[in-house]
Amino acid sequence: DAMVIQNPRYQVTQFGKPVTLSCSQTLNHNVMYWYQQKSSQAPKLLFHYYDKDFNNEADTPDNFQSRRPNTSFCFLDIRSPGLGDAAMYLCATSRDLPKLAEPHNEQFFGPGTRLTVL
Amino acid sequence: TQLLEQSPQFLSIQEGENLTVYCNSSSVFSSLQWYRQEPGEGPVLLVTVVTGGEVKKLKRLTFQFGDARKDSSLHITAAQPGDTGLYLCAGAWYNQGGKLIFGQGTELSVKP
Protein backbone atom coordinates (compact mmCIF):
# COMPACT_ATOMS: atom_id res chain seq x y z
CA ASP A 1 0.00 0.00 0.00
CA ALA A 2 1.21 3.48 -0.84
CA MET A 3 1.90 5.37 2.33
CA VAL A 4 3.79 7.95 4.35
CA ILE A 5 6.23 6.43 6.83
CA GLN A 6 7.89 8.16 9.75
CA ASN A 7 10.80 6.88 11.80
CA PRO A 8 11.21 6.60 14.63
CA ARG A 9 7.70 6.74 16.10
CA TYR A 10 9.16 7.85 19.44
CA GLN A 11 12.37 9.81 19.91
CA VAL A 12 13.98 10.89 23.15
CA THR A 13 16.79 13.43 23.09
CA GLN A 14 18.62 15.62 25.54
CA PHE A 15 18.38 19.36 25.80
CA GLY A 16 20.69 20.83 23.14
CA LYS A 17 21.54 17.51 21.47
CA PRO A 18 20.86 17.54 17.71
CA VAL A 19 18.19 15.16 16.50
CA THR A 20 16.96 14.08 13.05
CA LEU A 21 13.51 12.78 12.23
CA SER A 22 12.87 11.01 8.96
CA CYS A 23 9.95 10.66 6.59
CA SER A 24 9.56 8.55 3.48
CA GLN A 25 6.72 8.20 1.01
CA THR A 26 5.76 5.65 -1.61
CA LEU A 27 3.09 7.89 -3.15
CA ASN A 28 5.56 9.62 -5.52
CA HIS A 29 4.10 12.96 -4.48
CA ASN A 30 5.84 16.19 -5.42
CA VAL A 31 5.24 18.02 -2.14
CA MET A 32 6.37 17.06 1.35
CA TYR A 33 5.47 18.99 4.51
CA TRP A 34 6.64 19.05 8.11
CA TYR A 35 4.22 20.03 10.88
CA GLN A 36 4.65 20.45 14.62
CA GLN A 37 1.67 19.51 16.79
CA LYS A 38 1.54 20.11 20.53
CA SER A 39 -0.96 18.49 22.83
CA SER A 40 -4.61 19.32 22.07
CA GLN A 41 -3.59 21.80 19.37
CA ALA A 42 -3.88 21.83 15.60
CA PRO A 43 -0.82 21.03 13.48
CA LYS A 44 1.44 23.99 12.71
CA LEU A 45 3.25 24.07 9.38
CA LEU A 46 7.04 24.45 9.70
CA PHE A 47 8.06 24.21 6.03
CA HIS A 48 7.48 22.30 2.84
CA TYR A 49 9.36 21.12 -0.24
CA TYR A 50 7.88 21.36 -3.70
CA ASP A 51 10.20 18.94 -5.48
CA LYS A 52 13.61 20.40 -4.49
CA ASP A 53 12.26 23.88 -3.82
CA PHE A 54 12.31 24.61 -0.07
CA ASN A 55 9.66 26.91 1.44
CA ASN A 56 10.07 28.01 5.04
CA GLU A 57 7.22 29.48 7.09
CA ALA A 58 8.06 32.96 8.37
CA ASP A 59 7.65 32.01 12.03
CA THR A 60 9.64 28.76 11.92
CA PRO A 61 12.66 29.09 14.24
CA ASP A 62 16.14 28.80 12.71
CA ASN A 63 16.66 25.82 15.01
CA PHE A 64 14.57 23.77 12.58
CA GLN A 65 16.09 22.71 9.25
CA SER A 66 15.07 20.26 6.57
CA ARG A 67 16.62 18.20 3.81
CA ARG A 68 15.07 16.39 0.87
CA PRO A 69 17.74 14.31 -0.84
CA ASN A 70 15.31 12.69 -3.27
CA THR A 71 11.57 12.46 -4.04
CA SER A 72 10.93 9.76 -1.47
CA PHE A 73 12.72 11.05 1.61
CA CYS A 74 12.58 14.17 3.72
CA PHE A 75 14.35 14.89 7.03
CA LEU A 76 13.66 17.29 9.87
CA ASP A 77 16.79 18.40 11.76
CA ILE A 78 16.49 20.12 15.12
CA ARG A 79 19.90 21.60 15.79
CA SER A 80 19.58 22.35 19.50
CA PRO A 81 16.33 21.03 20.91
CA GLY A 82 14.80 22.95 23.77
CA LEU A 83 12.13 21.79 26.21
CA GLY A 84 9.59 23.75 24.20
CA ASP A 85 10.32 21.64 21.11
CA ALA A 86 8.80 18.55 22.68
CA ALA A 87 5.86 17.73 20.43
CA MET A 88 4.47 15.39 17.80
CA TYR A 89 6.13 16.00 14.44
CA LEU A 90 4.01 15.11 11.43
CA CYS A 91 5.15 14.61 7.87
CA ALA A 92 2.60 14.97 5.08
CA THR A 93 2.61 14.76 1.30
CA SER A 94 0.45 16.04 -1.52
CA ARG A 95 0.54 15.16 -5.19
CA ASP A 96 0.99 18.76 -6.22
CA LEU A 97 0.34 22.29 -5.03
CA PRO A 98 -3.20 23.61 -5.51
CA LYS A 99 -3.91 25.52 -8.72
CA LEU A 100 -6.87 27.56 -9.93
CA ALA A 101 -8.03 24.66 -12.08
CA GLU A 102 -7.39 22.10 -9.32
CA PRO A 103 -7.89 23.97 -6.06
CA HIS A 104 -7.97 21.00 -3.71
CA ASN A 105 -4.96 20.42 -1.48
CA GLU A 106 -5.33 16.90 -0.17
CA GLN A 107 -2.51 16.14 2.19
CA PHE A 108 -1.72 12.66 3.44
CA PHE A 109 -0.12 12.42 6.85
CA GLY A 110 2.28 9.93 8.35
CA PRO A 111 1.73 8.51 11.84
CA GLY A 112 4.03 11.10 13.41
CA THR A 113 7.12 11.04 15.63
CA ARG A 114 6.64 11.89 19.29
CA LEU A 115 9.71 13.85 20.43
CA THR A 116 10.62 14.04 24.12
CA VAL A 117 13.35 16.46 25.27
CA LEU A 118 14.98 15.71 28.62
CA THR B 1 -4.27 36.70 9.45
CA GLN B 2 -6.59 34.08 8.09
CA LEU B 3 -8.36 32.14 10.81
CA LEU B 4 -10.61 29.13 10.89
CA GLU B 5 -12.83 29.00 13.97
CA GLN B 6 -13.93 25.49 14.85
CA SER B 7 -16.63 24.68 17.40
CA PRO B 8 -17.32 23.11 19.74
CA GLN B 9 -13.84 22.43 21.06
CA PHE B 10 -14.99 19.48 23.20
CA LEU B 11 -18.01 17.24 22.80
CA SER B 12 -18.98 14.27 24.95
CA ILE B 13 -22.10 12.39 23.92
CA GLN B 14 -23.81 9.02 24.29
CA GLU B 15 -23.81 6.36 21.61
CA GLY B 16 -26.67 6.90 19.17
CA GLU B 17 -26.82 10.68 19.48
CA ASN B 18 -26.36 13.06 16.57
CA LEU B 19 -23.83 15.91 16.51
CA THR B 20 -22.62 18.75 14.32
CA VAL B 21 -19.19 20.38 14.22
CA TYR B 22 -18.77 23.80 12.63
CA CYS B 23 -15.89 25.61 10.93
CA ASN B 24 -16.24 29.29 10.17
CA SER B 25 -14.01 31.95 8.67
CA SER B 26 -14.19 35.45 7.26
CA SER B 27 -11.99 34.24 4.39
CA VAL B 28 -13.04 32.44 1.24
CA PHE B 29 -11.30 29.11 0.72
CA SER B 30 -10.46 27.34 -2.52
CA SER B 31 -11.02 24.04 -0.77
CA LEU B 32 -11.66 22.69 2.69
CA GLN B 33 -10.76 19.34 4.17
CA TRP B 34 -11.86 17.39 7.20
CA TYR B 35 -9.48 15.09 9.05
CA ARG B 36 -9.89 12.69 11.95
CA GLN B 37 -6.97 12.05 14.28
CA GLU B 38 -6.66 9.35 16.93
CA PRO B 39 -4.28 9.74 19.90
CA GLY B 40 -0.66 9.13 18.94
CA GLU B 41 -1.45 8.95 15.20
CA GLY B 42 -1.42 11.33 12.25
CA PRO B 43 -4.57 12.94 10.84
CA VAL B 44 -6.49 10.84 8.33
CA LEU B 45 -8.23 12.63 5.49
CA LEU B 46 -12.02 12.15 5.51
CA VAL B 47 -13.21 14.43 2.73
CA THR B 48 -12.34 17.43 0.54
CA VAL B 49 -14.96 19.97 -0.56
CA VAL B 50 -14.28 22.57 -3.25
CA THR B 51 -17.64 23.82 -4.58
CA GLY B 52 -19.85 26.26 -2.69
CA GLY B 53 -22.96 24.47 -1.42
CA GLU B 54 -21.39 21.05 -1.91
CA VAL B 55 -22.62 18.19 0.28
CA LYS B 56 -20.69 14.94 0.62
CA LYS B 57 -21.64 11.84 2.57
CA LEU B 58 -19.35 9.22 4.04
CA LYS B 59 -21.54 6.55 5.68
CA ARG B 60 -22.98 8.31 8.77
CA LEU B 61 -20.92 11.47 8.21
CA THR B 62 -22.30 14.38 6.17
CA PHE B 63 -20.06 17.26 5.15
CA GLN B 64 -21.30 20.57 3.84
CA PHE B 65 -19.41 23.50 2.31
CA GLY B 66 -21.11 26.88 2.65
CA ASP B 67 -22.41 28.64 -0.45
CA ALA B 68 -19.81 31.41 -0.03
CA ARG B 69 -17.02 28.88 0.70
CA LYS B 70 -16.30 30.51 4.06
CA ASP B 71 -17.71 27.83 6.32
CA SER B 72 -18.27 24.11 6.59
CA SER B 73 -20.00 21.63 8.85
CA LEU B 74 -19.63 17.98 9.74
CA HIS B 75 -22.73 16.13 10.92
CA ILE B 76 -22.53 12.65 12.43
CA THR B 77 -25.70 10.61 12.68
CA ALA B 78 -26.10 7.96 15.39
CA ALA B 79 -22.58 8.37 16.74
CA GLN B 80 -20.67 5.26 17.78
CA PRO B 81 -17.72 4.82 20.17
CA GLY B 82 -15.49 4.24 17.14
CA ASP B 83 -16.16 7.85 16.07
CA THR B 84 -14.18 9.08 19.09
CA GLY B 85 -11.22 11.24 18.09
CA LEU B 86 -10.02 14.71 17.20
CA TYR B 87 -11.77 16.20 14.17
CA LEU B 88 -9.89 18.91 12.29
CA CYS B 89 -11.05 21.16 9.51
CA ALA B 90 -8.41 22.72 7.27
CA GLY B 91 -8.80 25.37 4.59
CA ALA B 92 -6.57 26.06 1.61
CA TRP B 93 -6.19 28.61 -1.17
CA TYR B 94 -4.96 27.82 -4.65
CA ASN B 95 -2.65 30.87 -4.66
CA GLN B 96 -0.85 30.32 -1.32
CA GLY B 97 1.28 27.32 -2.02
CA GLY B 98 0.47 24.22 -0.04
CA LYS B 99 -0.44 26.00 3.16
CA LEU B 100 -3.38 24.58 5.08
CA ILE B 101 -5.03 26.63 7.81
CA PHE B 102 -6.30 24.31 10.52
CA GLY B 103 -9.16 24.91 12.89
CA GLN B 104 -8.51 24.36 16.61
CA GLY B 105 -10.03 20.88 16.44
CA THR B 106 -13.01 19.22 18.10
CA GLU B 107 -12.31 16.45 20.59
CA LEU B 108 -15.24 14.06 20.34
CA SER B 109 -15.91 11.38 22.93
CA VAL B 110 -18.73 8.91 22.30
CA LYS B 111 -19.62 6.84 25.34
CA PRO B 112 -21.23 3.39 25.00
Side-chain angles (χ1 to χ4, degrees):
Chain A
D1 285 342
M3 56 176 48
V4 181
I5 302 161
Q6 289 188 247
N7 286 306
R9 294 293 313 274
Y10 301 91
Q11 176 74 58
V12 180
T13 190
Q14 290 180 331
F15 182 93
K17 184 174 180 182
V19 66
T20 295
L21 310 182
S22 73
C23 176
S24 64
Q25 54 126 342
T26 60
L27 297 160
N28 203 32
H29 281 176
N30 288 323
V31 193
M32 295 186 78
Y33 309 82
W34 279 105
Y35 290 85
Q36 180 192 65
Q37 186 178 28
K38 297 193 175 180
S39 184
S40 299
Q41 295 182 21
K44 178 181 180 295
L45 182 64
L46 296 173
F47 25 59
H48 77 269
Y49 271 96
Y50 177 54
D51 196 9
K52 296 178 182 178
D53 188 21
F54 178 71
N55 296 272
N56 198 29
E57 290 299 300
D59 57 354
T60 298
D62 292 341
N63 198 25
F64 292 88
Q65 304 285 321
S66 186
R67 296 170 283 133
R68 190 179 185 186
N70 54 53
T71 301
S72 301
F73 285 87
C74 196
F75 300 98
L76 169 61
D77 301 307
I78 308 177
R79 293 192 296 189
S80 182
L83 298 179
D85 297 328
M88 173 77 92
Y89 288 88
L90 296 163
C91 174
T93 72
S94 64
R95 185 176 55 82
D96 209 331
L97 293 176
K99 305 179 183 61
L100 181 59
E102 291 185 37
H104 58 80
N105 183 21
E106 295 178 340
Q107 296 187 15
F108 298 89
F109 286 81
T113 295
R114 170 75 62 189
L115 178 68
T116 299
V117 182
L118 300 177
Chain B
T1 303
Q2 294 133 333
L3 292 174
L4 199 48
E5 298 287 337
Q6 188 172 342
S7 63
Q9 196 171 349
F10 299 96
L11 195 53
S12 181
I13 61 173
Q14 293 296 128
E15 182 175 3
E17 292 183 17
N18 301 332
L19 67 113
T20 302
V21 179
Y22 300 93
C23 266
N24 295 288
S25 176
S26 58
S27 304
V28 176
F29 293 105
S30 302
S31 68
L32 194 138
Q33 299 164 38
W34 285 91
Y35 291 86
R36 178 169 166 265
Q37 185 177 22
E38 296 193 21
E41 299 293 332
V44 174
L45 180 65
L46 297 174
V47 79
T48 299
V49 285
V50 296
T51 305
E54 185 175 5
V55 176
K56 283 191 173 179
K57 292 194 175 186
L58 187 66
K59 296 182 181 177
R60 294 176 292 101
L61 278 59
T62 301
F63 305 86
Q64 188 161 8
F65 202 14
D67 291 340
R69 290 186 289 129
K70 292 182 179 181
D71 56 272
S72 181
S73 64
L74 157 61
H75 182 79
I76 302 179
T77 304
Q80 298 177 1
D83 295 327
T84 294
L86 178 68
Y87 289 82
L88 294 159
C89 61
W93 300 265
Y94 75 89
N95 60 351
Q96 293 200 17
K99 192 177 182 75
L100 283 178
I101 295 294
F102 281 89
Q104 302 97 316
T106 296
E107 288 203 46
L108 172 65
S109 174
V110 182
K111 297 183 180 355

PDB file of all heavy atoms in Angstrom, chain B residues 4-6 21 28 33 78 81 84 91 97 102:
ATOM      1  N   LEU B   4      -9.518  30.069  11.053  1.00  0.00           N
ATOM      2  CA  LEU B   4     -10.613  29.131  10.886  1.00  0.00           C
ATOM      3  C   LEU B   4     -11.090  28.782  12.291  1.00  0.00           C
ATOM      4  O   LEU B   4     -10.364  28.172  13.065  1.00  0.00           O
ATOM      5  CB  LEU B   4     -10.115  27.889  10.143  1.00  0.00           C
ATOM      6  CG  LEU B   4     -11.095  26.966   9.454  1.00  0.00           C
ATOM      7  CD1 LEU B   4     -12.077  27.730   8.596  1.00  0.00           C
ATOM      8  CD2 LEU B   4     -10.344  25.962   8.625  1.00  0.00           C
ATOM      9  N   GLU B   5     -12.272  29.233  12.640  1.00  0.00           N
ATOM     10  CA  GLU B   5     -12.826  28.999  13.967  1.00  0.00           C
ATOM     11  C   GLU B   5     -13.632  27.708  13.946  1.00  0.00           C
ATOM     12  O   GLU B   5     -14.586  27.579  13.173  1.00  0.00           O
ATOM     13  CB  GLU B   5     -13.738  30.170  14.375  1.00  0.00           C
ATOM     14  CG  GLU B   5     -13.022  31.506  14.463  1.00  0.00           C
ATOM     15  CD  GLU B   5     -12.116  31.590  15.671  1.00  0.00           C
ATOM     16  OE1 GLU B   5     -12.354  30.849  16.645  1.00  0.00           O
ATOM     17  OE2 GLU B   5     -11.174  32.389  15.649  1.00  0.00           O
ATOM     18  N   GLN B   6     -13.249  26.777  14.822  1.00  0.00           N
ATOM     19  CA  GLN B   6     -13.933  25.488  14.851  1.00  0.00           C
ATOM     20  C   GLN B   6     -14.647  25.357  16.191  1.00  0.00           C
ATOM     21  O   GLN B   6     -14.093  25.671  17.246  1.00  0.00           O
ATOM     22  CB  GLN B   6     -12.913  24.356  14.676  1.00  0.00           C
ATOM     23  CG  GLN B   6     -13.531  22.982  14.488  1.00  0.00           C
ATOM     24  CD  GLN B   6     -12.510  21.924  14.122  1.00  0.00           C
ATOM     25  OE1 GLN B   6     -11.401  22.230  13.680  1.00  0.00           O
ATOM     26  NE2 GLN B   6     -12.879  20.677  14.318  1.00  0.00           N
ATOM     27  N   VAL B  21     -20.396  19.583  13.974  1.00  0.00           N
ATOM     28  CA  VAL B  21     -19.191  20.385  14.220  1.00  0.00           C
ATOM     29  C   VAL B  21     -19.133  21.461  13.147  1.00  0.00           C
ATOM     30  O   VAL B  21     -19.413  21.201  11.973  1.00  0.00           O
ATOM     31  CB  VAL B  21     -17.917  19.516  14.166  1.00  0.00           C
ATOM     32  CG1 VAL B  21     -16.674  20.359  14.389  1.00  0.00           C
ATOM     33  CG2 VAL B  21     -17.994  18.395  15.201  1.00  0.00           C
ATOM     34  N   VAL B  28     -12.540  33.408   2.214  1.00  0.00           N
ATOM     35  CA  VAL B  28     -13.037  32.437   1.242  1.00  0.00           C
ATOM     36  C   VAL B  28     -11.929  31.419   0.972  1.00  0.00           C
ATOM     37  O   VAL B  28     -10.776  31.789   0.764  1.00  0.00           O
ATOM     38  CB  VAL B  28     -13.437  33.130  -0.072  1.00  0.00           C
ATOM     39  CG1 VAL B  28     -13.868  32.099  -1.111  1.00  0.00           C
ATOM     40  CG2 VAL B  28     -14.547  34.133   0.172  1.00  0.00           C
ATOM     41  N   GLN B  33     -10.867  20.774   3.882  1.00  0.00           N
ATOM     42  CA  GLN B  33     -10.756  19.342   4.170  1.00  0.00           C
ATOM     43  C   GLN B  33     -11.127  19.073   5.621  1.00  0.00           C
ATOM     44  O   GLN B  33     -10.950  19.928   6.483  1.00  0.00           O
ATOM     45  CB  GLN B  33      -9.326  18.882   3.924  1.00  0.00           C
ATOM     46  CG  GLN B  33      -8.876  19.062   2.490  1.00  0.00           C
ATOM     47  CD  GLN B  33      -7.385  18.972   2.350  1.00  0.00           C
ATOM     48  OE1 GLN B  33      -6.761  18.169   3.020  1.00  0.00           O
ATOM     49  NE2 GLN B  33      -6.813  19.794   1.498  1.00  0.00           N
ATOM     50  N   ALA B  78     -26.179   9.186  14.562  1.00  0.00           N
ATOM     51  CA  ALA B  78     -26.096   7.959  15.388  1.00  0.00           C
ATOM     52  C   ALA B  78     -24.643   7.622  15.712  1.00  0.00           C
ATOM     53  O   ALA B  78     -24.126   6.576  15.305  1.00  0.00           O
ATOM     54  CB  ALA B  78     -26.789   6.803  14.678  1.00  0.00           C
ATOM     55  N   PRO B  81     -18.996   4.649  19.462  1.00  0.00           N
ATOM     56  CA  PRO B  81     -17.716   4.824  20.173  1.00  0.00           C
ATOM     57  C   PRO B  81     -16.513   4.883  19.234  1.00  0.00           C
ATOM     58  O   PRO B  81     -15.540   5.584  19.507  1.00  0.00           O
ATOM     59  CB  PRO B  81     -17.666   3.597  21.092  1.00  0.00           C
ATOM     60  CG  PRO B  81     -19.097   3.293  21.372  1.00  0.00           C
ATOM     61  CD  PRO B  81     -19.822   3.591  20.081  1.00  0.00           C
ATOM     62  N   THR B  84     -14.980   8.285  18.144  1.00  0.00           N
ATOM     63  CA  THR B  84     -14.184   9.076  19.085  1.00  0.00           C
ATOM     64  C   THR B  84     -12.858   9.481  18.456  1.00  0.00           C
ATOM     65  O   THR B  84     -12.201   8.673  17.808  1.00  0.00           O
ATOM     66  CB  THR B  84     -13.934   8.278  20.375  1.00  0.00           C
ATOM     67  OG1 THR B  84     -15.186   8.083  21.035  1.00  0.00           O
ATOM     68  CG2 THR B  84     -12.975   8.992  21.314  1.00  0.00           C
ATOM     69  N   GLY B  91      -8.495  24.648   5.820  1.00  0.00           N
ATOM     70  CA  GLY B  91      -8.797  25.374   4.592  1.00  0.00           C
ATOM     71  C   GLY B  91      -7.537  25.669   3.795  1.00  0.00           C
ATOM     72  O   GLY B  91      -6.440  25.763   4.355  1.00  0.00           O
ATOM     73  N   GLY B  97       0.466  28.512  -2.148  1.00  0.00           N
ATOM     74  CA  GLY B  97       1.285  27.321  -2.020  1.00  0.00           C
ATOM     75  C   GLY B  97       0.488  26.186  -1.419  1.00  0.00           C
ATOM     76  O   GLY B  97      -0.697  26.045  -1.690  1.00  0.00           O
ATOM     77  N   PHE B 102      -5.513  25.254   9.730  1.00  0.00           N
ATOM     78  CA  PHE B 102      -6.303  24.309  10.518  1.00  0.00           C
ATOM     79  C   PHE B 102      -7.179  25.042  11.527  1.00  0.00           C
ATOM     80  O   PHE B 102      -6.775  26.055  12.115  1.00  0.00           O
ATOM     81  CB  PHE B 102      -5.391  23.358  11.290  1.00  0.00           C
ATOM     82  CG  PHE B 102      -4.836  22.234  10.461  1.00  0.00           C
ATOM     83  CD1 PHE B 102      -3.648  22.381   9.781  1.00  0.00           C
ATOM     84  CD2 PHE B 102      -5.514  21.032  10.361  1.00  0.00           C
ATOM     85  CE1 PHE B 102      -3.135  21.352   9.015  1.00  0.00           C
ATOM     86  CE2 PHE B 102      -5.014  19.991   9.596  1.00  0.00           C
ATOM     87  CZ  PHE B 102      -3.822  20.149   8.929  1.00  0.00           C
TER      88      PHE B 102
END
